[in-house]
Amino acid sequence: MKKQIAILGSTGSIGRQALEVIEAFPEMFEVHTITANNSAELLIEQARKFLPDTVVIANDALYQTVSDALKDLPIKVYAGDEAIAESVEAGPIDIVLTAMMGYSGLRPTIRAIKAGKKIALANKETLVVAGELITKLAIEYRSEIIPVDSEHSAIFQCLTGEEYNKIDKIILTASGGPFLRYSSEQLEFVTKADALKHPNWVMGAKITIDSASMMNKGFEMIEAKWLFGVTPQQVEVIVHPQSIIHSMVQFEDGAVKAQLGVPDMKLPIAYAFTYPKRVDFGGEKLTLNNYSNMTFEKPDTERFPMLKFAYDAIEKGGNMPCILNAANEIAVAAFLDEKIKFTDIPKLASSAMERIDFIDTPIYEDYVESDKITRIYTKELIKNL
Ligand code: MN3
């Protein structure tokens, strides 16, 4: 039986690479559902090529375009966020790859978990915003969550076969991004184009900016806490600019296991689809003597305060990570619109964390509300900058 896969966010960087993996193994996988936010043209192209059962475009205004372009094919076409959330519940779907951007991943991920689907989790914001709720639901509905984020896939691989051994700490590697050597003064004047030049990974714009600010690593620390049941203090972030070691786990006896490889997101995507089996997806193999100079250093939270804010937010708990995420999403969008400076991003985030009402034990509706008011508050701040 072929595994039926739903890809939420099929037109993004992870979604496109997932389709390449599926294309390489037609005897193992079939695309059941693909969804996109706004990229109608690419979505149509993907639908004509992979002939999924269902296609959903989030932007209602593009429904007619997509529907007309596919009307000669037996493909169901829907539009809107509710249709995306509903699409993951379809009976035949085995695996839901959550590769959409930001907070929008929360609702469909919850629906997929409640439908008992296996989740290939690429949307880290889901765990940042509502990690407690998501992990609780995953246990309740016996939904397996396999991380696709390269660091978490590495940790997951290190932990395979170690189910009964205690984790001493997780060593989360960070490339340091394009501004690793920039001074605080230089950071004031970096442009959007500078920030979008990631040294090792080709990714979407939002996550590339998050990497440059190290927000991404802060989010990944929170993601690790929920996925692997460790405390934030047990997650040590270390800058490893070569991005060859994707992360490590230290056990009680001092043994450290690491997963290494040439940076290629197809590996964690394929592993999430085939776990516990591995497949040769045709990626470049690692030649260690090309990397005679692997280095490690402590991150600088003075120049990159977003990393520290992530520790503060998860320490405080409740809706605080949700507030940080919402403020960051608005700030990054404004930076990409060239409306604010790179160094305004942490200023906006810390202001939101100070000013938005704290909720100690939020329920789903509280996350929705906190997200909404933080977005409004941050947009207001940007107007008055
Ligand atoms: Mn990552």
Side-chain angles (χ1 to χ4, degrees):
M1 278 290 273
K2 289 184 194 179
K3 280 186 191 159
Q4 300 284 321
I5 300 185
I7 304 178
L8 307 185
S10 65
T11 58
S13 173
I14 297 284
R16 293 195 309 265
Q17 294 179 78
L19 286 173
E20 286 175 32
V21 168
I22 293 171
E23 196 182 0
F25 298 97
E27 69 294 346
M28 291 174 78
F29 307 115
E30 219 160 53
V31 183
H32 183 281
T33 297
I34 51 176
T35 80
N37 212 2
N38 279 303
S39 306
E41 227 165 285
L42 181 54
L43 186 68
I44 292 162
E45 195 185 303
Q46 292 174 339
R48 298 200 70 87
K49 181 168 177 184
F50 289 92
L51 302 173
D53 176 88
T54 302
V55 168
V56 192
I57 181 96
N59 184 347
D60 295 283
L62 294 167
Y63 171 76
Q64 213 55 51
T65 312
V66 178
S67 166
D68 286 350
L70 299 175
K71 65 168 180 264
D72 58 319
L73 296 168
I75 298 173
K76 298 173 202 133
V77 179
Y78 303 103
D81 290 331
E82 176 55 26
I84 290 181
E86 217 177 294
S87 72
V88 300
E89 294 172 342
I93 295 172
D94 299 299
I95 301 174
V96 177
L97 172 65
T98 63
M100 72 286 270
M101 193 191 79
Y103 172 83
S104 65
L106 181 60
R107 198 157 66 121
T109 305
I110 289 176
R111 294 281 281 270
I113 290 172
K114 287 188 171 173
K117 304 299 184 193
K118 182 181 278 189
I119 311 291
L121 188 88
N123 174 267
K124 69 190 72 177
E125 288 86 348
T126 303
L127 282 177
V128 170
V129 169
E132 193 157 16
L133 176 70
I134 293 289
T135 38
K136 225 170 62 194
L137 288 173
I139 293 166
E140 190 181 336
Y141 290 91
R142 294 164 187 267
S143 158
E144 196 176 7
I145 299 178
I146 316 261
V148 171
D149 207 345
S150 62
E151 295 80 357
H152 304 76
S153 175
I155 297 161
F156 187 80
Q157 291 175 59
C158 293
L159 289 173
T160 299
E162 303 282 0
E163 287 72 15
Y164 300 102
N165 289 321
K166 230 168 76 190
I167 300 171
D168 197 27
K169 69 175 175 185
I170 284 172
I171 303 164
L172 191 66
T173 53
S175 71
F179 306 141
L180 181 58
R181 308 285 170 226
Y182 281 45
S183 67
S184 304
E185 294 71 40
Q186 286 174 303
L187 285 176
E188 289 275 331
F189 301 105
V190 298
T191 64
K192 170 186 165 181
D194 297 331
L196 286 176
K197 276 184 222 132
H198 194 279
N200 304 330
W201 295 97
V202 180
M203 308 177 286
K206 197 258 176 184
I207 185 171
T208 304
I209 304 302
D210 285 346
S211 294
S213 70
M214 292 201 79
M215 179 78 281
N216 183 53
K217 213 45 61 179
F219 284 167
E220 289 182 351
M221 174 275 294
I222 298 176
E223 191 184 5
K225 171 198 152 66
W226 294 117
L227 282 172
F228 307 114
V230 293
T231 65
Q233 291 73 35
Q234 280 176 294
V235 184
E236 180 190 359
V237 173
I238 192 109
V239 175
H240 164 50
Q242 297 79 21
S243 296
I244 292 303
I245 299 180
H246 299 311
S247 276
M248 303 174 247
V249 179
Q250 180 174 302
F251 296 93
E252 264 185 306
D253 59 356
V256 176
K257 279 170 85 174
Q259 186 258 330
L260 291 75
V262 176
D264 185 345
M265 283 311 294
K266 278 193 202 163
L267 191 149
I269 293 167
Y271 189 71
F273 286 171
T274 61
Y275 166 81
K277 243 183 87 67
R278 293 180 183 275
V279 290
D280 180 2
F281 61 93
E284 187 191 336
K285 304 277 158 77
L286 179 63
T287 307
L288 262 181
N289 56 22
N290 291 344
Y291 301 93
S292 55
N293 199 18
M294 285 209 266
T295 59
F296 306 94
E297 59 194 277
K298 247 178 123 69
D300 179 354
T301 51
E302 292 269 325
R303 282 180 302 133
F304 301 103
M306 296 304 263
L307 178 59
K308 186 185 170 297
F309 294 167
Y311 278 94
D312 294 344
I314 195 69
E315 199 64 55
K316 184 95 181 156
N319 63 340
M320 198 53 90
C322 174
I323 294 168
L324 173 60
N325 177 69
N328 180 63
E329 280 190 30
I330 295 299
V332 170
F335 177 71
L336 287 171
D337 275 350
E338 299 180 308
K339 290 204 176 91
I340 63 167
K341 288 196 290 189
F342 185 72
T343 43
D344 288 330
I345 299 173
K347 287 178 195 158
L348 293 164
S350 85
S351 175
M353 286 171 72
E354 248 165 63
R355 298 297 295 278
I356 304 295
D357 286 336
F358 177 66
I359 304 169
D360 190 46
T361 45
I363 57 169
Y364 175 73
E365 286 72 21
D366 295 323
Y367 291 122
V368 175
E369 186 63 17
S370 299
D371 177 78
K372 197 173 99 187
I373 56 173
T374 305
R375 282 166 196 269
I376 295 169
Y377 173 79
T378 311
K379 281 181 188 162
E380 246 353 273
L381 279 184
I382 291 169
K383 265 192 233 155
N384 299 318
L385 265 180

